[in-house]
């Protein structure tokens, strides 16, 4: 039995999931099912750090990196369930199916970051993607949601095929698919052929697609805009963290001895991602689309930590994604809380109607822009620190120049909230559901605390 | 050392305003909010008194040092302390904060709670900037000023406030993120530490010093602002509410100069020496160009704003002439500029509250209409020109002395700068105070009330005190300057890394 101990969180999660799967059928009350899902994520979080080690001949690993990323997934599951408890677009009758898919995709993400072999990695990435295809098209009556799902599905299948192709090429060269096997092979054999390049570039392409990095990002704004807002919030954190975490692990554990294989392409992808995300976000008037582009930009910053290719880099990925989960889901919660939260005009003058909500949103925006004293600053700081430590100062300088652009589009929302007069027609005070209030206050508090005393989660 | 303060006084002074913010959040009544703000700022000045009485002027090291773990994983500490240079800025911040609360008493009528909360948060951040002895901590305080300032300009500013506030944030942010890259690379070059004292002892390779100098230059030159980076300043100053302008002119600009003295010069001594001329020339351009642009202005507030560009040119010239008297003058002039320009912005604020116009063409004849106001205004104009007996005279004189000591060709253009400075201030005086009262504003003009008189008195006192007894502020900074210049010009005790 002891050899299965590293899988303890997954096993517990699966058992709880199965229990929920049965019991949930008989519970019609949406609040109770929601609380059950949140409980599952909390219980699993508590046993997360109990079991270190590897299993299945080193194909599965539970180390600090994977455990912390799993915490990100469980947290984002928790927060996204919290904000969707009273979300009207998701009907009571389908909330059960919706929560099942969220749970399943969380399980898949947990497997992704623990994989130490390309085949299990591929399988769990597919597992996650299937759940996400369904989630993004979850509202059957909404054409945009359908379009998003179809687009995601077609392009995603294409990326999966490329992934498989890359694995085949690497297997053809190295004769193994385990990360350490590949690493050993590359250490001992200096000859590099075209198949090495094909293999690494295909793997980078596929994972960059899943993470929504440019130039493979085209699906994400449409999907983020089309999908129900809670799912957008969910998809913008967990799957991204999973894909970037997996990429970081593959590069660090398999290819760190031959940077010539991936360095140029990763730097290219990272810079292009930051450029695309930040430049295209400048002119968006739909907040969900704006946050979609901003999440592309954030994937670019995290990509810098992948380039750093060090333990420090991996740690900064984890820290970044934790903070990112708080600030991004917080921002989406504000989008949900406002009657016209999806368009930038809906933010006009809300600081007069609801000062505390707009101050929280201001905190999320400044944190996303990476301005102290919020957690987003420390996250960005650590990422840039890791890439500078690895010696790529110029990459960091270009990255930081793009992040100046990001301040502009986040400020646009802040300007609308604080400096414009409220529209006359919606002067009446609107009610914010209590679950959103809790979520917003919780996230705002967390980014402030992690910004002022980041030591507590490092 | 005669240190007798046994409690963490610097942290208390830094974070005391936040207690005021907490109280303000709970209050409902605008009046109570105002009184709480005044009480908090005055109280903060009072509890800071032991810092000044127990300060050991003969020591160049940091005093009242507090040292706690902050982020152990990256060796960042919460470390604060003051030396002879920063202690004066802490005092200036404490005084200016009280005046900001006072000057907004009747001018701010909407969202009063948020306004005073922002002023108090600003106070915390500004004191923190001057006390921080850890680069990362400094950066956090430095950037924490962005949000309150952004809101101060944007919510309570005048017509073009949105443009001005966004421009302010973007310029400052752009400069400071480059500094952040500099800080991180310095961290790795100097053996993984953010401690300012440790970092000043490290000898860095020359090439790295150049790059680091420019990384810090990006942040501080925007903040000062130095010549090509000054364009945010007139907009931000002009559009900000009076308290915002006073904070900007009084403290924020000084953080740039302070940063040069505290970080750029000790960390990059060789680069500083070889870039001395470059910095001096940039400062001269700022002085002369700034003065000419000031002459052209037709907006009361914008005129004073542009004059700041010129005055801050004196400061950077003083700092980068790299000799004792110029450095003394540079630092003293920062304090002077904070007092005098702060006072001038308050004058404008007071008169704008009555007339609701800043167009100079609508002004005239204030001497007949509001004599008490003009009494103060005349005094502060004279101080701004550098009239003997006022504080700016001492500052400008020391800078000129140092500039001539540095080079004849640097000192000579300075005379033109001073002459132009007198020209625009006197011409402004002519347009505002003399002539006949314009009918548009005549009925609105009434003289200062007691609160307004009271808030000008301490500034008058400070101007005269520094003017007649310059040795009081200079005695604080002398040792620190001597230490700074010693380690710059005779680098003997430095360890090779």
């Amino acid at each position: 039995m002891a050899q299965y101990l590293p899988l303890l969180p997954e096993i517990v999660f699966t058992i709880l999931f199965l229990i929920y799967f049965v019991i949930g059928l008989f519970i019609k009350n949406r609040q109770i099912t929601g609380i059950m899902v949140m409980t599952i994520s909390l219980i699993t979080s508590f046993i997360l750090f109990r079991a270190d080690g590897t299993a299945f001949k080193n194909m599965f690993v539970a180390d600090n990196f994977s455990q912390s990323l799993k915490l990100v997934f469980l947290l984002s599951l928790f927060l996204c369930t919290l904000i969707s408890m009273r979300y009207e677009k998701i009907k009571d009758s389908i909330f059960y199916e919706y929560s099942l898919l969220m749970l399943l995709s969380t399980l898949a993400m947990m497997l992704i970051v623990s994989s130490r072999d390309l085949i299990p990695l591929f399988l769990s990435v597919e597992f996650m993607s299937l759940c996400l295809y369904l989630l993004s098209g979850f509202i059957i009556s909404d054409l945009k949601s359908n379009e998003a799902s179809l687009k995601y599905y077609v392009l995603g299948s294409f990326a999966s095929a490329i992934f498989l192709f890359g694995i085949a090429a690497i297997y053809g060269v190295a004769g193994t698919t385990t990360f350490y096997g590949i690493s050993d092979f590359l250490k001992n054999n200096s000859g590099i052929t075209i198949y090495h390049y094909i293999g690494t570039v295909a793997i980078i392409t596929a994972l960059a697609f899943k993470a929504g990095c440019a130039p493979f990002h085209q699906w994400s704004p449409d999907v983020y805009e089309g999908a129900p807002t809670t799912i957008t919030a969910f998809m913008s954190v967990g799957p991204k963290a999973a894909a970037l975490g997996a990429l970081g692990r593959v590069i660090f554990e398999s290819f760190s001895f031959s940077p010539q294989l991936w360095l140029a392409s990763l730097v290219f992808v990272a810079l292009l991602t930051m450029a695309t995300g930040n430049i295209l976000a400048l002119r968006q008037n739909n907040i969900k689309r704006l946050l979609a582009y901003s999440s592309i930009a954030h994937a670019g910053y995290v990509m810098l930590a992948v380039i750093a290719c060090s333990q420090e880099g991996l740690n900064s990925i984890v820290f970044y994604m934790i903070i990112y989960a708080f600030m991004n889901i917080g921002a989406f919660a504000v989008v949900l809380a406002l009657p016209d939260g999806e368009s930038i005009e809906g933010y006009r003058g809300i600081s007069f109607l609801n000062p505390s909500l707009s101050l929280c949103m201001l905190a999320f925006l400044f944190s996303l822009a990476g301005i102290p004293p919020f957690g987003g600053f420390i996250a960005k700081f650590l990422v840039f620190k890791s890439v500078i430590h690895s010696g790529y100062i110029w990459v960091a300088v270009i990255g930081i120049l793009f992040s100046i652009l990001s301040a502009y589009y986040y400020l646009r929302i802040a300007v609308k909230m604080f400096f414009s007069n409220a529209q006359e027609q919606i002067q009446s005070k609107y009610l914010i559901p209590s679950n959103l209030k809790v979520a917003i206050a919780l996230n705002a508090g967390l980014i402030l605390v992690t910004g002022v005393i980041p030591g507590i989660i490092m | 050392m005669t240190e007798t303060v046994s409690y963490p006084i610097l942290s208390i002074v830094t974070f005391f305003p936040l207690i005021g913010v907490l109280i303000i959040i709970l209050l409902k009544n605008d009046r109570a909010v105002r009184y709480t703000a005044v009480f908090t700022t005055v109280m903060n000045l009072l509890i800071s008194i032991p810092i000044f009485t127990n300060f050991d002027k003969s020591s160049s090291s940091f005093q009242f040092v507090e040292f706690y773990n902050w982020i152990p994983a990256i060796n960042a500490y919460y470390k604060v302390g003051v030396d002879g240079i920063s202690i004066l800025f802490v005092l200036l911040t404490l005084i200016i904060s009280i005046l900001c609360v006072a000057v907004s008493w009747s001018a701010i009528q909407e969202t009063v709670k948020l306004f005073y909360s922002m002023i108090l948060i600003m106070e915390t951040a500004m004191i923190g900037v001057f006390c921080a002895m850890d680069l990362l901590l400094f950066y956090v305080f430095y950037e924490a000023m962005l949000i309150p300032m952004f809101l101060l300009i944007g919510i309570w500013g005048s017509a073009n406030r949105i443009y001005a506030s966004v421009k302010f944030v973007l310029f400052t942010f752009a400069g400071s993120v480059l500094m952040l890259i500099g800080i991180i690379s310095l961290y790795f070059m100097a053996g993984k530490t953010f401690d300012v004292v440790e970092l000043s002892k490290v000898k860095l390779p020359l090439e790295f010093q150049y790059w680091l100098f420019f990384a810090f230059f990006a942040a501080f030159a925007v903040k000062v602002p130095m010549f090509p980076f000054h364009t945010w300043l007139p907009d931000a100053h002009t559009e900000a509410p009076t308290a915002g302008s006073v904070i900007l002119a009084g403290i924020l600009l000084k953080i740039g100069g302070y940063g040069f003295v505290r970080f750029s010069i000790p960390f990059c001594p060789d680069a500083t020496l070889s870039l001395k001329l470059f910095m001096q020339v940039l400062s001269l351009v700022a002085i002369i160009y700034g003065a000419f642009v000031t002459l052209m202005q037709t907006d009361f507030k914008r005129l004073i704003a542009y004059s700041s560009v010129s005055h801050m040119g004196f400061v950077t010239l003083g700092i980068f002439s790299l000799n004792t008297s110029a450095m003394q003058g540079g630092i003293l002039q920062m304090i002077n500029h904070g007092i005098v320009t702060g006072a001038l912005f308050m004058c404008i604020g007071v008169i704008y509250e009555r007339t609701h116009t800043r167009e100079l063409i609508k002004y005239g004849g204030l001497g007949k209409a509001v004599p008490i106001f003009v009494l103060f205004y005349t005094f502060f104009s004279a101080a701004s020109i550098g009239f003997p007996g006022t504080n700016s005279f001492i500052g400008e004189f020391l800078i000129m002395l140092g500039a001539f000591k540095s080079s004849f060709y640097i000192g000579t253009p300075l005379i033109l700068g001073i002459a132009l400075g007198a020209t625009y201030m006197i011409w402004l005086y002519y347009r505002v105070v003399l002539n006949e009262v314009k009918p548009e504003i005549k009925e609105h003009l009434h003289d200062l009330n007691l609160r307004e008189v009271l808030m000008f008195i301490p500034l008058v006192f400070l101007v005269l005190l520094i003017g007649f007894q310059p040795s009081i502020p200079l005695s604080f900074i002398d040792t620190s300057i001597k230490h700074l210049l010693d380690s710059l010009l005779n680098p003997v005790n430095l360890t090779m890394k």
Side-chain angles (χ1 to χ4, degrees):
Chain A
M1 272 317 279
Q3 77 257 38
Y4 298 119
L5 199 63
L7 279 107
L8 188 67
E10 282 81 2
I11 292 171
V12 172
F13 191 84
T14 314
I15 291 171
L16 291 173
F17 167 76
L18 290 173
I19 296 170
Y20 173 71
F21 184 58
V22 178
I23 297 178
L25 274 174
F26 304 104
I27 296 172
K28 291 281 164 273
N29 188 330
R30 176 171 175 171
Q31 314 299 329
I32 295 175
T33 47
I35 288 169
M36 284 173 77
V37 174
M38 280 153 59
T39 320
I40 292 176
S41 78
L42 279 184
I43 292 173
T44 320
S45 316
F46 280 122
I47 54 164
L48 210 49
F49 292 90
R50 295 288 161 80
D52 279 21
T54 60
F56 303 120
K57 293 183 179 157
N58 209 1
M59 277 188 184
F60 181 94
V61 60
D63 54 2
N64 200 13
F65 176 66
S66 63
Q67 285 162 346
S68 319
L69 274 177
K70 283 173 196 171
L71 186 65
V72 176
F73 308 141
L74 292 169
L75 276 176
S76 82
L77 174 69
F78 178 87
L79 292 170
C80 290
T81 314
L82 181 64
I83 61 174
S84 45
M85 292 238 276
R86 300 214 183 140
Y87 184 43
E88 281 149 16
K89 258 193 176 174
I90 292 172
K91 303 224 163 41
D92 289 0
S93 53
I94 54 171
F95 188 80
Y96 167 66
E97 288 86 344
Y98 165 81
S99 59
L100 282 186
L101 284 170
M102 296 244 280
L103 282 165
L104 275 179
S105 57
T106 306
L107 180 62
M109 290 181 240
M110 289 167 72
L111 292 172
I112 289 176
V113 290
S114 274
S115 303
R116 238 182 200 170
D117 185 300
L118 291 172
I119 301 294
L121 177 61
F122 173 77
L123 290 175
S124 14
V125 167
E126 278 311 282
F127 181 15
M128 175 187 83
S129 302
L130 281 174
C131 300
L132 294 181
Y133 300 147
L134 285 172
L135 275 177
S136 57
F138 207 69
I139 299 178
I140 305 167
S141 52
D142 187 350
L143 267 182
K144 263 195 170 170
S145 180
N146 285 334
E147 184 199 329
S149 177
L150 188 65
K151 206 169 200 167
Y152 193 21
Y153 175 63
V154 173
L155 290 172
S157 317
F158 200 60
S160 302
I162 293 176
F163 197 8
L164 214 47
F165 182 64
I167 295 172
I170 290 291
Y171 182 72
V173 174
T176 177
T177 51
T178 61
F179 290 180
Y180 280 120
I182 298 168
S183 172
D184 282 343
F185 176 80
L186 289 173
K187 197 159 57 176
N188 299 327
N189 296 278
S190 50
I192 293 214
T193 63
I194 181 85
Y195 301 106
H196 287 84
Y197 284 107
I198 291 176
T200 41
V201 169
I203 290 172
I204 289 171
T205 306
L207 288 174
F209 174 87
K210 300 291 177 194
C213 292
F216 319 110
H217 66 283
Q218 269 89 353
W219 59 272
S220 69
D222 293 332
V223 171
Y224 283 15
E225 192 190 349
T229 308
T230 51
I231 295 173
T232 311
F234 184 68
M235 282 175 46
S236 68
V237 179
K240 222 169 219 36
L244 288 167
L247 187 61
R249 190 192 278 282
V250 173
I251 296 293
F252 179 58
E253 291 187 351
S254 315
F255 297 103
S256 57
F257 291 106
S258 36
Q260 71 271 33
L261 286 176
W262 48 265
L263 186 60
S265 44
L266 271 188
V267 168
F268 171 74
V269 168
L271 292 183
L272 192 67
T273 305
M274 286 185 280
T276 318
N278 283 320
I279 292 170
L280 292 181
L282 289 175
R283 298 195 62 81
Q284 300 303 325
N285 287 324
N286 179 305
I287 298 295
K288 277 169 78 179
R289 247 186 131 75
L290 190 148
L291 286 173
Y293 280 112
S294 108
S295 83
I296 292 173
H298 283 277
Y301 303 136
V302 179
M303 204 63 131
L304 292 179
V306 177
I307 293 171
C309 190
S310 58
Q311 193 59 46
E312 190 188 355
L314 292 187
N315 293 342
S316 67
I317 295 180
V318 171
F319 192 88
Y320 201 103
M321 292 319 299
I322 292 177
I323 305 283
Y324 184 68
F326 296 149
M327 57 197 186
N328 212 38
I329 295 176
F332 274 111
V334 174
V335 172
L336 283 174
L338 294 177
D340 188 18
E342 288 194 23
S343 102
I344 196 166
E345 284 303 312
Y347 291 79
R348 185 175 277 278
I350 60 162
S351 69
F352 302 104
L353 299 174
N354 198 333
S356 43
L357 177 84
S358 36
L359 282 176
C360 287
M361 185 63 170
L362 189 75
F364 297 136
L365 294 171
F366 272 82
S367 182
L368 284 166
I371 293 175
F374 300 114
F377 160 68
I378 303 282
K380 214 174 249 180
F381 170 80
L382 290 175
V383 163
F384 282 106
K385 177 172 153 281
S386 71
V387 73
I388 288 174
H389 196 189
S390 296
Y392 309 113
I393 292 190
W394 64 275
V395 182
V397 170
I398 299 175
I400 211 105
L401 290 177
F402 281 123
S403 86
I404 299 167
L405 282 181
S406 76
Y408 176 75
Y409 56 80
Y410 296 126
L411 281 185
R412 271 183 68 206
I413 305 177
V415 163
K416 279 272 186 275
M417 288 195 303
F418 283 92
F419 305 162
S420 312
N421 296 324
Q423 290 157 308
E424 268 104 47
Q425 54 265 42
I426 51 156
Q427 284 292 359
S428 60
K429 244 192 155 59
Y430 43 85
L431 283 174
I432 298 174
S434 52
N435 64 326
L436 288 180
K437 271 187 195 162
V438 172
I440 292 169
L442 186 69
N443 283 314
L446 282 169
I447 58 161
L448 186 61
V449 170
T450 49
V452 176
I453 27 176
I456 53 168
I457 56 166
M458 268 161 100
Chain B
M1 206 181 269
T2 58
E3 206 167 303
T4 53
V5 183
S6 57
Y7 50 96
I9 186 163
L10 284 180
S11 296
I12 294 176
V13 171
T14 309
F15 293 107
F16 186 74
L18 293 186
I19 298 173
V21 174
L22 288 182
I23 297 171
I24 284 177
I25 289 172
L26 300 175
L27 293 173
K28 289 263 181 282
N29 182 337
D30 284 355
R31 250 184 107 73
V33 168
R34 291 194 183 102
Y35 280 110
T36 314
V38 166
F39 177 76
T40 314
T41 46
V42 172
M43 219 21 224
N44 207 17
L45 181 64
L46 293 180
I47 58 177
S48 76
I49 287 174
I51 299 181
F52 307 102
T53 52
N54 289 320
F55 186 79
D56 179 8
K57 291 175 188 168
S58 60
S59 160
S60 68
S61 57
F62 284 89
Q63 301 177 30
F64 310 105
V65 174
E66 294 164 34
F67 191 78
Y68 308 105
N69 263 336
W70 180 35
I71 318 177
I74 55 171
N75 223 354
Y77 294 93
Y78 174 81
K79 189 178 181 190
V80 290
V82 282
D83 72 347
I85 298 170
S86 47
I87 193 169
L88 288 182
F89 290 104
V90 172
L91 180 63
L92 185 68
T93 309
L94 289 164
I95 295 171
I96 295 271
S97 302
I98 301 175
L99 297 175
C100 286
V101 174
V103 81
S104 319
W105 201 266
S106 59
I108 303 296
Q109 296 294 350
E110 286 171 8
T111 42
V112 179
K113 270 167 83 165
L114 190 61
F115 181 84
Y116 284 107
S117 307
M118 289 303 143
I119 297 267
L120 292 177
I121 292 174
M122 275 306 280
E123 187 179 5
T124 290
M126 292 185 297
I127 299 175
V129 157
F130 292 123
C131 291
M133 285 174 68
D134 181 284
L135 263 182
L136 196 64
L137 187 67
F138 168 81
Y139 187 82
V140 167
F141 279 125
Y142 184 87
E143 290 276 81
M145 291 184 296
L146 276 184
I147 303 173
M149 207 59 218
F150 171 68
L151 294 180
L152 279 179
I153 301 174
I155 299 182
W156 298 278
S158 41
N160 206 6
R161 60 187 197 274
I162 295 177
Y163 172 75
S165 59
V166 173
K167 193 171 178 182
F168 165 76
V169 172
L170 289 183
F171 264 69
T172 318
F173 186 57
S176 57
V177 289
L178 284 171
M179 174 169 77
L180 181 64
I181 297 281
I183 290 177
I184 299 174
S185 34
L186 176 64
Y187 170 76
F188 286 117
M189 282 304 275
K192 302 205 174 181
T193 176
F194 290 112
D195 191 320
V196 173
V197 181
E198 294 290 315
L199 288 172
S200 344
K201 289 183 189 150
V202 174
K203 178 113 177 91
L204 298 164
L206 184 62
E207 207 170 297
F208 183 76
Q209 283 192 21
Y210 277 117
W211 133 243
L212 188 67
F213 188 89
F214 280 108
F216 278 107
F217 178 79
F220 299 140
V222 168
K223 207 83 176 179
V224 167
M226 291 185 76
F227 161 61
F229 309 106
H230 64 279
T231 55
W232 64 269
L233 178 130
D235 291 310
H237 272 68
T238 311
E239 303 303 332
T242 307
S245 310
V246 173
I247 288 183
L248 272 171
I251 315 289
L252 288 208
L253 306 191
K254 276 70 211 178
I255 290 170
Y258 172 78
F260 280 128
V261 176
R262 171 72 71 235
F263 305 118
S264 301
I265 296 178
F267 296 168
C268 329
D270 304 325
T272 309
L273 285 175
S274 50
L275 289 168
K276 179 182 166 187
L277 188 66
F278 168 74
M279 298 298 286
Q280 283 178 321
V281 169
L282 267 190
S283 311
L284 278 178
V285 172
I287 293 172
I288 309 239
Y289 168 84
F292 273 117
V293 178
T294 312
L295 275 172
M296 304 280 295
Q297 298 306 313
T298 55
D299 179 312
F300 203 159
K301 213 169 172 185
R302 216 176 169 83
L303 194 150
I304 301 295
Y306 264 113
S307 81
S308 289
V309 177
S310 180
H311 282 148
M312 289 310 284
F314 280 93
V315 170
T316 46
L317 183 68
I319 292 172
F320 282 98
S321 291
L322 300 178
N323 55 48
T324 313
S325 50
M327 187 78 89
Q328 282 177 332
I331 293 168
L332 187 63
Q333 191 61 12
M334 280 201 260
I335 307 285
N336 295 341
H337 179 258
I339 297 168
V340 172
T341 309
L344 284 172
F345 275 122
M346 281 162 62
C347 288
I348 296 171
V350 164
I351 206 76
Y352 178 78
E353 228 179 285
R354 293 162 168 76
T355 60
H356 294 285
T357 177
R358 298 187 313 246
E359 303 275 330
L360 280 174
I361 201 152
K362 295 188 182 152
Y363 279 97
L366 293 190
K368 287 173 193 160
V370 279
I372 304 177
F373 169 80
V374 167
L375 184 70
F376 287 111
Y377 176 67
T378 314
F379 179 77
F380 292 121
S381 293
S384 175
I385 294 168
F387 200 72
T390 63
N391 54 357
S392 303
F393 173 73
I394 311 288
E396 287 181 3
F397 179 76
L398 283 169
I399 291 171
M400 188 122 86
L401 201 67
F404 270 108
K405 211 184 276 176
S406 161
S407 158
F408 174 75
Y409 298 101
I410 297 294
T412 316
L414 206 54
I415 300 171
L416 176 64
I418 291 177
L420 284 171
T423 315
Y424 60 69
M425 283 314 286
I426 290 171
W427 191 35
L428 173 69
Y429 189 80
Y430 168 79
R431 285 185 283 179
V432 172
V433 175
L434 306 180
N435 292 331
E436 287 304 311
V437 188
K438 297 274 164 63
E440 300 99 297
I441 57 167
K442 190 166 187 175
E443 66 220 65
H444 302 297
L445 287 173
H446 50 91
D447 219 330
L448 302 186
N449 59 30
L450 184 63
R451 168 182 65 83
E452 288 160 340
V453 173
L454 279 180
M455 71 189 186
F456 282 121
I457 298 275
L459 291 172
V460 174
F461 172 72
L462 284 175
V463 166
L464 292 175
L465 179 75
I466 302 177
F468 286 106
Q469 281 296 331
S471 57
I472 295 174
L474 288 178
S475 68
F476 278 99
I477 56 181
D478 272 347
T479 328
S480 297
I481 289 178
K482 196 165 163 296
H483 175 73
L484 179 69
L485 289 175
D486 268 356
S487 52
L488 177 72
L489 301 170
N490 322 307
V492 274
N493 301 327
L494 296 176
T495 49
M496 195 76 183
K497 201 86 188 184

